[in-house]
Amino acid sequence: MNNKNLSLSGRKVLVVDDEEEILVITRLMLELHGAEVITSLTAAEGLEQVQTQRLDLIISDISMPHMDGYQFIQAVRNLPAHKGKDTPALAVTAFSRSQDRTRALNAGFQAHLSKPVSLQVLIQTILVWVL
């Protein structure tokens, strides 16, 4: 894998997941490729970040307490454009059936990746949406 071709340098990515270990691992993987990473343990906190940061991409889990990933992305899509409405978003989730993928895309995600996702697949998918 050629790291030069997979650079996320200058890209700001929000990762939302209620599992701290996932946030740490994902942050490290993305930072190794040059991304600036913001993490949120809750969808509500993630929604605040979307509105206050100029993000290039959102990566969100689906299964989270209080507000799940579907509710989170629908809230993002209901924001004004200048507050992050059109920010590309990837669902990274243990829900891996075809109907889960369809539901994620219909909710407003641009892509659906099943956990565990390989670093190469994650980076390549991100690059599709940020280049």
Side-chain angles (χ1 to χ4, degrees):
M1 177 165 71
N2 184 338
N3 285 348
K4 196 168 178 77
N5 295 337
L6 298 176
S7 175
L8 298 173
S9 182
R11 305 297 181 180
K12 192 182 284 191
V13 179
L14 171 66
V15 182
V16 183
D17 199 304
D18 61 320
E19 292 184 45
E20 199 159 351
E21 313 81 58
I22 301 283
L23 289 179
V24 170
I25 292 167
T26 307
R27 166 182 253 153
L28 288 173
M29 291 191 316
L30 297 178
E31 285 178 345
L32 283 172
H33 288 276
E36 179 184 340
V37 181
I38 300 164
T39 57
S40 295
L41 277 166
T42 67
E45 184 185 307
L47 191 56
E48 275 182 39
Q49 294 291 346
V50 171
Q51 295 176 77
T52 58
Q53 305 280 338
R54 196 195 60 71
L55 300 168
D56 293 294
L57 186 82
I58 300 165
I59 298 172
S60 178
D61 187 22
I62 295 294
S63 180
M64 296 183 286
H66 310 299
M67 179 189 293
D68 68 19
Y70 301 121
Q71 294 165 318
F72 166 70
I73 199 61
Q74 287 168 340
V76 169
R77 297 301 175 231
N78 287 328
L79 293 170
H82 71 281
K83 291 285 191 181
K85 171 184 182 157
D86 300 319
T87 307
L90 310 179
V92 179
T93 176
F95 299 134
S96 58
R97 302 170 304 172
S98 62
Q99 57 263 45
D100 297 320
R101 176 182 166 74
T102 300
R103 183 173 176 200
L105 297 177
N106 287 341
F109 287 100
Q110 276 65 45
H112 174 274
L113 300 174
S114 299
K115 288 181 182 176
V117 61
S118 77
L119 175 60
Q120 188 165 5
V121 168
L122 179 62
I123 299 298
Q124 288 174 339
T125 305
I126 290 170
L127 287 170
V128 166
W129 296 103
V130 299
L131 291 182

